Amino acid sequence: PAPVPAPVMVQTQSPTKAPTQSSTNSPTPPAIINATAPPTKAQTASPTKSPTNTPAIPFTSNIPSGIYTIQSVLFNSYLGIQGAGNVVMSNSISSTEHINIQKLEEGNKYALKSTVFEDIWVRVSGPGDNKAVNTQVYIGEWEEFYIDDLGGGRLVFRSAKWNNYLRANGLGDVKTQIEVDYNIIFVID
């Protein structure tokens, strides 16, 4: 018989303890884990999930409607709507990086509208990771977002339909992500 390979020992970091539920089965609000601390050099060198510094999502924010810039905390790039179909991260601010964040009447949801192109809205194309973030000419379920507040001015944009997050990829296209890490954290101004 063929020899059986020996198991390989891999050193891992211990995972962050998940919130627990009380004996009445009511959920305990999630804690914020380093959500206000800036990324470390190790985190910025490799924009991937960090097992010990993963922020939890505490609650949906209450941002007033208005025109904002949306900046990636990790990459210092700005979300821009570059016309029909194109949502990108840019290293500078022009008129296309000014986004009209509109609070919708239903359920603390928001829509992200171009300030340059008439009736162009940001949308998420489907559930899961690496889905396209592009535009549509109306607001439907795919164009609705929750803006979750991490504290310290840090926010994440979560698709109300698909429950995934807008993710900055440095410069260039914007995709989705389901894991909570520094790739999905933004600040607005």
Side-chain angles (χ1 to χ4, degrees):
V4 177
V8 177
M9 297 297 289
V10 178
Q11 183 177 2
T12 60
Q13 296 178 349
S14 31
T16 304
K17 186 175 179 181
T20 58
Q21 292 187 344
S22 68
S23 59
T24 62
N25 288 331
S26 63
T28 301
I32 299 174
I33 304 166
N34 289 338
T36 58
T40 64
K41 286 184 181 180
Q43 290 166 322
T44 47
S46 176
T48 58
K49 182 180 174 189
S50 173
T52 59
N53 291 323
T54 302
I57 306 300
F59 59 90
T60 301
S61 68
N62 191 18
I63 295 169
S65 293
I67 297 174
Y68 298 91
T69 57
I70 302 172
Q71 183 180 18
S72 165
V73 169
L74 184 60
F75 297 107
N76 293 319
S77 53
Y78 297 88
L79 185 83
I81 302 172
Q82 305 284 325
N86 298 319
V87 178
V88 298
M89 297 304 294
S90 174
N91 62 358
S92 63
I93 300 172
S94 70
S95 58
T96 58
E97 284 72 39
H98 289 95
I99 308 296
N100 188 346
I101 299 177
Q102 292 188 356
K103 186 165 184 168
L104 304 175
E105 292 181 18
E106 178 190 335
N108 211 24
K109 295 177 187 175
Y110 293 84
L112 308 177
K113 184 179 191 278
S114 171
T115 58
V116 176
F117 303 98
E118 190 172 335
D119 294 324
I120 298 292
W121 304 88
V122 174
R123 79 174 191 132
V124 172
S125 64
D129 282 329
N130 294 313
K131 299 300 178 186
V133 175
N134 48 36
T135 63
Q136 184 55 276
V137 295
Y138 57 84
I139 301 173
E141 291 181 321
W142 294 20
E143 294 76 34
E144 296 176 348
F145 294 89
Y146 294 108
I147 302 176
D148 296 326
D149 190 340
L150 300 175
R154 294 164 187 248
L155 307 167
V156 294
F157 293 82
R158 179 169 45 99
S159 169
K161 170 73 175 168
W162 307 114
N163 208 37
N164 48 7
Y165 301 95
L166 297 186
R167 178 187 78 212
N169 291 322
L171 298 177
D173 65 343
V174 178
K175 297 285 187 178
T176 63
Q177 180 170 313
I178 57 174
E179 295 172 339
V180 177
D181 68 12
Y182 282 100
N183 291 311
I184 68 167
I185 299 175
F186 297 89
V187 293
I188 63 171
D189 187 24

